Amino acid sequence: MSKALIIVDIQNDYFENGAMELVCSLQASENAKQVLSKFRSEKLPIVHIQHLSVAPGSTFFLPDTKGQEIHENVTPLGGEKVIEKYYPNSFRETELLEYLKSQNVTELVFVGMMTQMCIDATVRAAKDFEFQCTVIGDACATLDLEVNGKQVKAADVQTAFLAGLSFFYADIKNTADYLS
């Protein structure tokens, strides 16, 4: 069984002074960096997913901006795969599936942003493609949301989406447990 790390959308716009700052994005990126270090030391495949927003009216991850660049805590090194995407699901209209198959990968470990959007969409798709999935929950981040006039705190969004994924789609771990 071959394992790969999928780093989803840890990009500058999600951090302080970015166009779409998330709650605890810096802490999540620092945890992601620890997981990334483990994969690098074990010489396992690493895939950086970078979202580019080209739809009319987009306000963040705009091409050729500082905000769309991958954050310095998880900057890709030479030889690490970088895949650009335009949709929440990292498999949609990208080479991700073909690349993972070419590396004989069967198990995926996910870190990244946003938990309720691109992490959720990508993990569900990965499971449908029969990958064994693990999400490092404290290496993911989200934001406060609103639905039908009700405010939902980021911590509650995070818990709900990770709980939903844990029901069938993925094992959910924290960084310390995963690294031990």
Side-chain angles (χ1 to χ4, degrees):
M1 180 183 308
S2 177
K3 181 172 23 177
L5 176 63
I6 310 296
I7 304 171
V8 180
D9 301 350
I10 300 183
Q11 295 167 242
N12 290 331
D13 269 341
Y14 282 154
F15 292 82
E16 186 176 0
N17 300 316
M20 179 65 74
E21 184 178 349
L22 303 184
V23 175
C24 297
S25 56
L26 185 59
Q27 179 183 353
S29 74
E30 290 168 351
N31 290 333
K33 182 178 183 177
Q34 291 179 56
V35 176
L36 174 58
S37 293
K38 176 181 175 63
F39 273 76
R40 285 175 173 161
S41 71
E42 295 178 3
K43 299 186 182 349
L44 293 170
I46 296 163
V47 181
H48 299 263
I49 304 294
Q50 182 178 28
H51 195 105
L52 298 176
S53 295
V54 295
S58 294
T59 59
F60 63 101
F61 292 164
L62 300 175
D64 302 317
T65 64
K66 180 81 173 157
Q68 62 87 40
E69 294 174 7
I70 293 174
H71 190 268
E72 65 187 2
N73 280 348
V74 293
T75 300
L77 298 179
E80 293 176 356
K81 187 75 171 164
V82 178
I83 295 177
E84 293 178 351
K85 70 176 177 68
Y86 304 96
Y87 300 97
N89 175 356
S90 300
F91 289 94
R92 182 177 173 186
E93 297 179 28
T94 71
E95 62 182 300
L96 180 57
L97 182 60
E98 291 77 20
Y99 176 75
L100 295 172
K101 285 182 176 181
S102 77
Q103 301 296 306
N104 297 312
V105 171
T106 58
E107 181 182 347
L108 301 176
V109 176
F110 293 91
V111 299
M113 303 170 183
M114 289 187 281
T115 309
Q116 86 289 356
M117 189 60 110
C118 298
I119 293 295
D120 184 69
T122 302
V123 170
R124 289 173 187 269
K127 182 70 171 180
D128 288 345
F129 287 125
E130 300 182 344
F131 290 99
Q132 180 183 337
C133 300
T134 299
V135 176
I136 311 302
D138 63 355
C140 297
T142 188
L143 70 169
D144 296 342
L145 294 176
E146 180 271 327
V147 60
N148 297 326
K150 294 182 180 179
Q151 300 300 313
V152 184
K153 291 292 187 188
D156 295 327
V157 173
Q158 181 84 348
T159 299
F161 272 84
L162 292 175
L165 288 174
S166 75
F167 187 75
F168 174 77
Y169 289 95
D171 290 327
I172 309 298
K173 298 192 180 225
N174 65 39
T175 303
D177 289 340
Y178 183 75
L179 295 176
S180 65

